[in-house]
């Protein structure tokens, strides 16, 4: 397995400023091999519905990725295979969780209550957001996973903390990289393992959608964010 400590991200976080009084912050975390800036136009319809929200899109460093035969790609942690196996890059995950935690701390120091901060991520970014949100000592407003998963080895820490924040999970039924069964199993763990209230866990699937997002999914995300952020 490739090790942590890759080349620092060449691009800093992309920040989308609110167009109304800043009342909440969404931290959006991209997937394996992606650039944060590529998500700015994709998220625009969601951004437009939440004028008081500041968006922060961090950029992963370039690390050697085992799944890509050791090629350096933007990656939050090493991945051996897709669909994800039980391999666990503990060092890489720890560094990336700290990156997201530091963004949360910065927003809190800037005057935003932690309950007004939501983590949203796609694929590997979704996994990172879930591992961060479900183990942090900050009381976050919620976490959303778009085609993500919860690594098995990260779950013990979650069981010890018993988080209770709102969760939005979206998954395409035609996803072969991270199949929707991963989402079904993970949301069952959230309800039965972590005992998060049924009405706090939203699980939606999108017929025919592969490892991507579509307008319906983004619309549902915007609705969920509007509900929990008021």
């Amino acid at each position: 397995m490739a090790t942590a400590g890759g080349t620092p991200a060449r691009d800093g976080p992309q920040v989308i400023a609110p167009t109304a009084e800043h009342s909440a912050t969404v931290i959006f975390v991209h997937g394996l091999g992606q650039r944060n800036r590529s998500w700015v136009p994709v998220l625009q319809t969601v951004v437009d519905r939440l004028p008081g929200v500041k968006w922060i899109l961090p950029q992963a460093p370039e690390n050697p990725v085992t799944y890509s035969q050791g090629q350096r790609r933007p990656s939050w942690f090493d991945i051996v295979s897709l669909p994800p196996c039980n391999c666990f890059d503990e060092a890489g995950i720890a560094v990336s969780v700290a990156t997201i935690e530091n963004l949360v701390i910065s927003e809190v120091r800037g005057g935003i209550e932690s309950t007004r901060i939501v983590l949203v991520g796609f694929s590997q970014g979704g996994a990172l957001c879930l591992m961060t949100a479900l183990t942090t000592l900050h009381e976050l407003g919620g976490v959303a996973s778009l085609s993500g998963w919860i690594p098995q080895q990260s779950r013990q820490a979650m069981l010890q903390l018993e988080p209770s924040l709102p969760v939005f999970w979206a998954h395409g039924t035609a996803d072969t990289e991270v199949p929707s069964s991963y989402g079904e199993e993970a949301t069952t763990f959230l309800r039965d393992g972590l005992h998060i209230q049924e009405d706090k866990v939203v699980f939606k699937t999108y017929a025919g959608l592969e490892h991507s997002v579509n307008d319906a999914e983004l619309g549902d995300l915007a609705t969920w964010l509007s509900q929990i952020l008021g």
Side-chain angles (χ1 to χ4, degrees), residues 14-60:
Q14 293 279 320
V15 177
I16 305 174
T19 55
E21 183 179 356
H22 183 198
S23 61
T25 296
V26 171
I27 299 171
F28 182 90
V29 185
H30 67 74
L32 174 67
Q34 298 181 336
R35 295 289 177 193
N36 54 2
R37 59 179 178 269
S38 70
W39 279 95
V40 173
V42 177
L43 293 170
Q44 193 59 54
T45 57
V46 185
V47 171
D48 289 344
R49 287 179 56 179
L50 300 158
V53 172
K54 173 185 177 182
W55 291 72
I56 303 174
L57 287 69
Q59 176 61 50

Side-chain angles (χ1 to χ4, degrees), residues 78-119:
D78 192 30
I79 288 181
V80 173
S81 64
L82 287 175
C85 64
N86 284 329
C87 303
F88 193 64
D89 177 15
E90 186 172 358
I93 288 169
V95 170
S96 292
V97 167
T99 296
I100 306 305
E101 285 268 22
N102 286 337
L103 292 173
V104 171
I105 291 169
S106 179
E107 288 302 292
V108 171
R109 287 177 175 169
I112 297 296
E113 295 283 343
S114 65
T115 54
R116 304 289 296 167
I117 300 172
V118 178
L119 307 185

Side-chain angles (χ1 to χ4, degrees), residues 193-230:
L194 299 184
H195 306 294
I196 296 178
Q197 296 175 21
E198 186 85 19
D199 61 354
K200 285 190 174 182
V201 180
V202 176
F203 179 64
K204 289 184 175 289
T205 57
Y206 301 86
L209 180 64
E210 299 180 350
H211 196 61
S212 184
V213 298
N214 62 16
D215 290 344
E217 181 177 355
L218 293 172
D220 288 339
L221 172 64
T223 298
W224 177 79
L225 286 169
S226 298
Q227 291 169 348
I228 64 170
L229 294 176

Side-chain angles (χ1 to χ4, degrees), residues 53-77:
V53 172
K54 173 185 177 182
W55 291 72
I56 303 174
L57 287 69
Q59 176 61 50
E62 295 198 1
N63 287 306
V65 178
T66 301
Y67 173 68
S68 302
Q69 294 76 51
Q71 177 185 349
R72 285 187 174 274
R73 304 177 67 192
S75 178
W76 297 109
F77 52 89

